């Protein structure tokens, strides 16, 4: 949450910062701001509430010129989305500016103390307090030579950070130290982009990939000093930092919209490729199994696993719920799902043969990271299933597997979800083949996995038909989603997609739960979406559908190609190609993604940037 980018180079900073903010807007879009050190040594600051467009308009034809600057796009935590609360924030002297992502938990006490000493605050944010604290430490630096402003600034950042508790990714700039930026992180992501005669600090690599593919993923407690042709990474306490320069694995083009009107639609349509990328090089015909070398576990260690705990938030948690069914069906290993935010504060019993698996697209979700650290603190091996290469969860886990979905920018998770399901199936296959699964069953799963991309293409061909259905129900006051077994989590995921981008109430349920309460909601106006492929619970699903129809509730059914029977019961039927039961959710969720997309567009909602949300939830 919140995106920050700093630039120091030989060019005018403003275009770099605005372009970087555009790419980071998915992280928060309540307000934005930019501060550039101008040629006369003053700080030009522009900031305002609302979308980045507002800031662009405000800057208009009076762009600030200067080769060093910092900027921010906000997702409000402390204080409403107003001009005053937008970042960057000045210190008391007006000579230092700061951008911050994270939460300073003890800000109120610090603010009270500073106010008692005469500091005046212009915003309600916790971040401004940190700016004042650093500015004060800068003024009070005694141990460092007066003339060395850069050293003084670094020492001030170090000293101030000792006083705060909470999380931060910060970038700081001071008029006394032109062409010099200081960044630090704890709990909020920060990367360094290394260019030619220009360097960057940003919340993620997508902000800098148009200019460089050399990046350093900072660790917690790292501090970085940046000039146009020089960088230094150390620990905040002054110790040596362990870092390396990595190559970003995607290009600037990958983060462009192309011909699509929205990232969400683009990402839905990328699924044939993203699913293929998830399994490419990981299928073994010889062993009728999967190869997941990144887990870094020997066959013996994998055999010893007698329980799996899958952890995630939101859509990643729904993928985990599908994973529970898949892994148990394929390997018979008892598998449980924990919501990451619950897991980290709960004393979940684990034993030495329990494998904890954290699932996260961004690899930065603070609750998932907290869960990972909690399990590691207890001495457990924690693996991860992550999309963003070099992200904190990927780096801190003891092994794992990357999704290789490419950047997912639309706030609603789409392609990452189907990649997660694909990889959880590979995990189930690998573990199953180490136990009782036969070669022929393993081969069948491999065949079906390989067939997925083409089957997904078939589903996508129905886009226009799904749009028609969405338009038909666009005035609906809400939506119910129902599914069973492997597709219970598909129902939850479909409902989440609808809620988050269309702002109508939607809820997902196990179909048979209808009659235990939910059926009271059924009216002529409330559509129910049934995920009802021709599987082992098809007839049961059909009975639930009949119960809804008997009460005049409209029904949209997702079922298997060739199964015409549901035309008789349902008002609208969407067909997906046949596959094995455990892979059906990958196909069935796609019509649900498209349904919510078209629904949201028809309701004039901002599909890629739904209200109150941000893509990467890096605050608790
Ligand atoms: C829903 C959605 C969120 C994320 C959740 C976890 O469409 O995108 O629910 O799934 O915030 O994010 P990651 O996977 O980045 O940990």
């Amino acid at each position: 949450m919140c995106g920050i980018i700093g630039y120091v180079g030989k060019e005018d900073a403003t275009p770099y910062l605005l372009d970087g903010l555009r790419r980071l807007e998915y992280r928060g879009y309540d307000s934005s701001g930019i501060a550039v050190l101008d040629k006369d040594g003053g700080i030009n600051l522009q900031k305002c509430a609302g979308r980045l467009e507002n800031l662009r308009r405000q800057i208009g034809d009076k762009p600030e010129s200067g080769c060093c600057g910092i900027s921010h796009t906000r997702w409000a935590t402390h204080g409403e989305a107003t001009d005053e609360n937008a970042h960057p924030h000045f210190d008391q002297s007006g000579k230092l500016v700061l951008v911050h992502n994270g939460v300073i938990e003890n800000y109120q006490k610090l603010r009270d103390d500073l106010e008692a000493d005469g500091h005046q605050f212009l915003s309600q944010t916790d971040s401004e307090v940190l700016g004042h604290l650093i500015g004060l430490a800068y003024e009070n630096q005694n141990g460092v030579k007066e003339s060395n402003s850069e050293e003084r600034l670094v020492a001030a950042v170090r000293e101030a950070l000792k006083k705060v508790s909470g999380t931060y990714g910060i970038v700081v700039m001071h008029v006394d130290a032109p062409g010099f930026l200081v960044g630090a992180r704890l709990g909020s992501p920060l990367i360094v982009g290394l260019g030619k005669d220009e360097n960057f600090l940003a919340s993620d690599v997508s902000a800098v990939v148009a200019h460089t593919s050399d990046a350093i993923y900072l660790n917690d407690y790292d501090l970085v000093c940046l000039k146009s042709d020089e960088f230094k990474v150390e620990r905040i306490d002054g110790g040596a930092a362990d870092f390396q320069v990595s190559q970003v694995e995607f290009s600037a083009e990958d983060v462009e919209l192309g011909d699509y009107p929205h990232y969400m639609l683009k990402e839905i349509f990328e699924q044939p490729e993203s699913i293929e990328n998830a399994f490419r090089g990981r299928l073994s015909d010889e062993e009728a199994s999967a190869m997941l070398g990144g887990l870094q576990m020997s066959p013996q260690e994998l055999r010893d696993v007698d329980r799996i705990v899958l952890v995630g938030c939101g859509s990643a948690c729904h993928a985990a719920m599908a994973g529970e069914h898949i892994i148990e069906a394929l390997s018979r290993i008892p598998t449980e799902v924990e919501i990451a935010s619950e897991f980290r504060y709960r004393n979940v019993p684990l034993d030495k043969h329990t494998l904890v698996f954290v699932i996260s697209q961004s690899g930065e979700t603070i609750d998932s990271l907290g869960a990972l650290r909690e399990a590691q603190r207890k001495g457990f091996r924690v693996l991860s299933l992550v999309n963003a290469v070099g992200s904190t969860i990927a780096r801190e886990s003891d092994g794992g597997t990357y999704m290789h979905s490419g950047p997912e920018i639309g706030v609603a998770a789409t392609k990452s979800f189907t990649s997660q399901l694909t990889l959880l199936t590979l995990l189930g296959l690998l573990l199953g083949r180490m136990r009782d699964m036969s070669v022929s069953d393993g081969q069948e799963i491999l065949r079906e996995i390989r067939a997925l991309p083409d089957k997904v293409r078939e589903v996508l061909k129905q886009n226009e038909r799904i749009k028609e259905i969405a338009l038909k129900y666009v005035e609906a006051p809400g939506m119910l989603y129902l599914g069973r077994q492997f597709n219970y989590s598909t129902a939850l995921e479909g409902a989440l997609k609808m809620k988050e981008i269309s702002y109508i109430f939607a809820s997902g349920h196990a179909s048979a739960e209808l009659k235990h309460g939910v059926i009271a909601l059924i009216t002529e106006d409330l559509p129910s979406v049934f995920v009802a492929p021709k599987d082992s619970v098809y007839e049961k699903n059909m009975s639930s559908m009949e119960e809804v129809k008997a009460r005049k509730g409209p029904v949209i059914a997702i079922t298997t190609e060739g199964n015409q029977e549901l035309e008789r019961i349902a008002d609208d039927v969407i067909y997906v190609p046949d596959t094995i039961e455990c892979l059906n959710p990958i196909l069935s969720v796609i019509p649900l993604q498209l349904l919510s997309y078209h629904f949201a567009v028809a309701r004039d909602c901002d599909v890629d940037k739904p209200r109150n949300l941000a893509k990467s939830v890096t605050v608790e």
Side-chain angles (χ1 to χ4, degrees), residues 313-316 359-363 365 368 411-413 420 493 496-497 500 615 617:
C313 303
S315 294
I359 305 175
S360 172
Q361 186 284 130
S362 62
T365 301
S368 305
V411 163
Q420 285 158 5
E493 178 62 6
L496 178 61
K497 292 295 85 115
E500 66 182 331
K615 179 102 186 129
V617 184

Side-chain angles (χ1 to χ4, degrees), residues 19 61 74 88 99 111 115 174 179 204 215 221 237 269-270 311 316 334 366 375 379 415 430 439 459 512 552 607:
D19 186 57
D61 52 2
R74 179 169 185 249
V99 285
R111 181 171 170 143
E115 276 177 336
H174 200 291
D204 93 44
Y221 299 105
D237 66 7
F269 272 82
E270 281 172 350
V311 183
I366 197 82
K415 61 178 178 174
L430 174 69
V439 172
V459 180
K552 299 193 169 30
V607 172

